[in-house]
């Protein structure tokens, strides 16, 4: 399916369905799949879903196959909704919340965020879902990920550099602390850089001291966060006792 901008009347039709006090599981499944429910029981004999919503668009060159795929998608979602053990009412918002818990993000969600009428009818579980990334954001993220995985300097820092950091941490950062026992980032970064240089003698692959310091700060913050989580778990265990 391909994404497309909202057409006139699509979001108003969606709003009409979201304002209904009660939905059936099939109607809710249609909305979660990105389609309006069928307009009448009679028309369901031919097709079990109505018009497409923003984020879904018919494949005009293979319409019959497309309709079969949509039918299967809606049927799968409907089965999940019917089998759900979570107690809830039959409102559209309850079904959308249940769908969010099952990781269903309606294809029309980002368009609905821009429509005041629809936005006011969305449950909190959907509002906390981050908007879809733009093509530029996706491209930048993929470039950053590729650089993170293949840039020689970063590979060295996350390999030999991180290993040296963990060795220092296991030893209480001996030689890298002040009189009060606080960790001196510059000293840790210097030792980490020495380990990187030993692993790769070619200077062109060596990160700058400032880059090494940024990594050390991040690793220290990650370690502090992990410790906080462990303390929280321990505290919870003590309370439970």
């Amino acid at each position: 399916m391909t994404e497309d901008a909202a057409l006139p009347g699509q979001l108003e039709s969606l709003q009409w369905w979201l304002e209904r006090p009660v939905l059936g599981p099939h109607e809710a499944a249609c909305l979660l799949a990105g389609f309006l429910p069928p307009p009448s029981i009679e028309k369901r004999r031919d097709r079990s879903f109505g018009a497409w919503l923003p984020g879904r668009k018919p494949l005009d060159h293979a319409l019959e196959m497309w309709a079969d795929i949509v039918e299967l998608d809606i049927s799968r979602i409907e089965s999940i909704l019917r089998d759900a053990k979570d107690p809830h009412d039959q409102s559209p918002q309850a079904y959308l919340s249940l769908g969010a818990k099952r990781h269903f993000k309606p294809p029309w969600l980002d368009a609905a965020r821009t429509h005041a009428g629809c936005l006011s009818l969305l449950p909190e579980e959907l509002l906390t879902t981050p908007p879809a990334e733009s093509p530029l954001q996706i491209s930048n993220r993929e470039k950053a990920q590729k650089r993170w995985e293949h840039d020689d300097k970063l590979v060295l820092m996350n390999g030999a550099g991180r290993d040296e950091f963990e060795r220092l941490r296991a030893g209480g950062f001996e030689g890298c602390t002040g009189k009060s026992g606080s960790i001196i980032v510059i000293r840790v970064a210097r030792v980490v850089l020495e380990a990187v240089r030993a692993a790769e003698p070619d200077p062109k692959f060596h990160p700058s001291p400032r880059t090494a310091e940024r990594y050390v700060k991040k690793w220290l913050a990650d370690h502090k966060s992990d410790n906080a989580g462990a303390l929280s778990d321990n505290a919870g265990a003590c309370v439970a006792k």
Side-chain angles (χ1 to χ4, degrees), residues 14-103:
L14 173 61
Q15 179 182 348
W16 186 86
W17 280 98
L18 293 178
E19 288 174 340
R20 297 190 65 161
V22 175
L23 288 183
H26 181 80
E27 293 169 328
C30 287
L31 292 179
L32 284 167
F35 296 87
L36 294 175
S40 67
I41 295 297
E42 288 74 20
K43 291 190 177 181
R44 284 183 58 176
R45 296 172 185 170
D46 176 52
R47 197 172 69 179
S48 69
F49 58 93
W52 53 275
L53 290 167
R56 300 296 292 261
K57 187 178 180 181
L59 296 177
D60 294 331
H61 63 282
L63 196 56
E64 186 174 343
M65 180 186 69
W66 171 82
D68 289 341
I69 293 172
V70 171
E71 295 274 7
L72 289 173
D73 195 19
I74 292 174
S75 178
R76 177 179 62 87
I77 296 174
E78 183 177 355
S79 296
I80 292 173
L81 295 179
R82 289 185 182 277
D83 293 342
K85 305 301 182 184
D86 310 51
H88 64 87
D89 59 37
Q90 306 299 303
S91 69
Q93 289 69 33
Y95 276 117
L96 290 176
S97 296
L98 179 60
K101 293 176 183 177
R102 300 297 189 275
H103 307 292

Side-chain angles (χ1 to χ4, degrees), residues 173-193:
F173 293 102
E174 183 178 357
C176 297
T177 58
K179 293 181 180 179
S180 64
S182 60
I183 299 169
I184 301 176
V185 172
I186 294 177
R187 291 184 185 176
V188 176
R190 189 178 301 134
V191 176
V192 166
L193 269 179

Side-chain angles (χ1 to χ4, degrees), residues 198-239:
E200 174 52 70
D202 192 337
K204 71 179 181 181
F205 296 117
H206 298 165
S208 67
R210 182 171 296 182
T211 297
E213 289 175 24
R214 285 202 302 267
Y215 270 80
V216 168
K217 289 177 182 178
K218 179 182 182 303
W219 294 336
L220 287 171
D222 291 344
H223 175 58
K224 184 176 181 180
S225 176
D226 291 342
N227 281 346
L231 289 173
S232 177
D233 291 342
N234 290 339
C238 291
V239 171

Side-chain angles (χ1 to χ4, degrees), residues 140-206:
N140 288 340
R141 176 173 53 76
E142 290 176 347
K143 288 178 182 177
Q145 181 66 26
K146 185 175 181 180
R147 181 170 178 265
W148 178 264
E149 292 174 352
H150 301 291
D151 185 290
D152 291 323
K153 293 180 181 179
L154 301 185
V155 170
L156 277 170
M157 281 300 297
N158 286 304
R162 184 60 186 261
D163 289 344
E164 184 64 17
F165 173 83
E166 294 299 335
R167 186 192 68 78
L168 288 171
R169 184 168 68 85
F173 293 102
E174 183 178 357
C176 297
T177 58
K179 293 181 180 179
S180 64
S182 60
I183 299 169
I184 301 176
V185 172
I186 294 177
R187 291 184 185 176
V188 176
R190 189 178 301 134
V191 176
V192 166
L193 269 179
E194 289 174 359
V196 168
R197 289 164 182 162
E200 174 52 70
D202 192 337
K204 71 179 181 181
F205 296 117
H206 298 165

